[in-house]
Amino acid sequence: MKKQITDFKIVNKKVYNESYFAMTLQHPSTLPEIEAGQFVEVEIPGNKNVMLRRPISIHDVDIEKNQLTILVQVVGKGTKTLSQMEVGETLNLVYPLGRGFSQEGKNVLLVGGGAGIAPMLHLSKCLSDKGTHCTILLGGRSAAMIPVQDEFRPYGDVYFATEDGSLGEKGLVTQHSIFDAKYDHIYTCGPTPMMKAVAHHATEKNIECEVSLENMMACGVGACLCCVVDSDDGHKCVCKEGPVFNIKNLKKFFQL
């Protein structure tokens, strides 16, 4: 898929709390096809202390309006600068980058933790459009760390897990009772320990499982090699050959 570099206009901004915000970005003409699980590299404007673009998952896509939405967690100088931008300003993106989810299965489980919730919305919409039954599990340390909640409800059965018990079942995401149900495919994105636990469960239950890795990605096109992960087939660039991988190809990484 051909990569593009485009100036998008910020047409909507939603601040959930001090840690999370979302921006809807307007393409000047026509959006290309975007797979669920792909990401963008965002140029950080007006901050001389931030040289590199920031990789951010594509949260949602409105192909009719030629808009895409990014959900951002504020974790450093770059994302802090982005959080201070307002509607009407412009962001330059390199997109669509990476390889997305396969969208296979008829009864699937989507597991998003923390910032890993971001790509799950576009994925749930794509799967729902195909007639797939989606069970969606979202987790975080507290309810505030699960900023996007109601947006998922049109696309599947939504459940929550929080470590402090403020929303849904109390405990880690991977301790939730819905893991007792049967699924033919699991898709997940979030902290590495969470994804490892999901991968172990999928392996034990003989369920196909895909993970979206959150490695540091400076260039987004496989040139800088800072995002390399060790796979069964050798080193893989997460930004180019991922970020989505089937866990069967990452047995070394997940120590299965």
Side-chain angles (χ1 to χ4, degrees):
M1 186 179 299
K2 186 177 180 179
K3 308 299 181 286
Q4 301 187 22
I5 303 176
T6 304
D7 286 335
F8 283 73
K9 185 177 181 179
I10 302 171
V11 294
N12 189 47
K13 178 182 178 183
K14 185 173 182 180
V15 178
Y16 294 98
N17 50 51
E18 63 181 12
S19 297
Y20 286 95
F21 67 94
M23 285 179 171
T24 299
L25 309 175
Q26 179 68 55
H27 192 283
S29 56
T30 304
L31 272 177
E33 180 182 355
I34 295 176
E35 299 174 7
Q38 289 187 301
F39 67 98
V40 300
E41 285 275 358
V42 183
E43 183 179 58
I44 308 299
N47 191 331
K48 295 181 180 180
N49 295 319
V50 181
M51 301 297 293
L52 298 174
R53 291 175 179 262
R54 293 297 187 264
I56 299 176
S57 295
I58 296 172
H59 180 53
D60 197 10
V61 176
D62 189 327
I63 200 67
E64 293 182 358
K65 294 183 178 179
N66 292 303
Q67 296 176 347
L68 62 82
T69 300
I70 55 175
L71 176 66
V72 185
Q73 182 180 19
V74 181
V75 294
K77 293 178 180 179
T79 49
K80 180 66 175 178
T81 298
L82 285 179
S83 73
Q84 296 167 344
M85 298 186 70
E86 300 295 343
V87 171
E89 295 187 84
T90 298
L91 278 180
N92 183 269
L93 307 184
V94 180
Y95 71 101
L97 297 171
R99 186 178 69 87
F101 294 100
S102 68
Q103 300 183 37
E104 297 176 350
K106 292 298 182 181
N107 178 37
V108 304
L109 173 64
L110 281 61
V111 185
I117 291 172
M120 295 292 111
L121 183 61
H122 186 33
L123 176 60
S124 65
K125 290 176 68 173
C126 292
L127 289 167
S128 178
D129 288 344
K130 294 174 62 176
T132 301
H133 179 265
C134 297
T135 300
I136 303 161
L137 174 60
L138 309 175
R141 293 191 304 275
S142 65
M145 294 295 101
I146 309 176
V148 184
Q149 300 174 15
D150 293 338
E151 289 89 335
F152 283 91
R153 298 191 189 280
Y155 311 113
D157 301 323
V158 186
Y159 299 87
F160 303 97
T162 51
E163 294 178 32
D164 66 358
S166 56
L167 180 65
E169 293 187 14
K170 184 176 182 179
L172 300 176
V173 176
T174 49
Q175 296 172 330
H176 199 284
S177 59
I178 65 166
F179 276 94
D180 294 333
K182 293 183 179 180
Y183 308 97
D184 50 45
H185 216 109
I186 298 176
Y187 302 96
T188 185
C189 183
T192 298
M194 184 204 82
M195 291 193 292
K196 285 187 176 182
V198 173
H200 285 199
H201 171 82
T203 301
E204 290 176 355
K205 300 294 184 180
N206 196 29
I207 302 172
E208 289 290 320
C209 180
E210 294 175 27
V211 298
S212 179
L213 302 185
E214 296 184 320
N215 293 34
M216 180 68 69
M217 294 181 278
C219 71
V221 294
C224 69
L225 303 179
C226 73
C227 66
V228 168
V229 66
D230 189 16
S231 79
D232 287 7
D233 300 321
H235 296 314
K236 302 288 186 181
C237 287
V238 172
C239 67
K240 185 177 181 180
E241 296 166 283
V244 177
F245 294 91
N246 191 300
I247 62 170
K248 291 178 180 178
N249 299 322
L250 293 177
K251 291 182 179 179
K252 293 180 181 178
F253 180 78
F254 285 104
Q255 298 179 352
L256 298 178

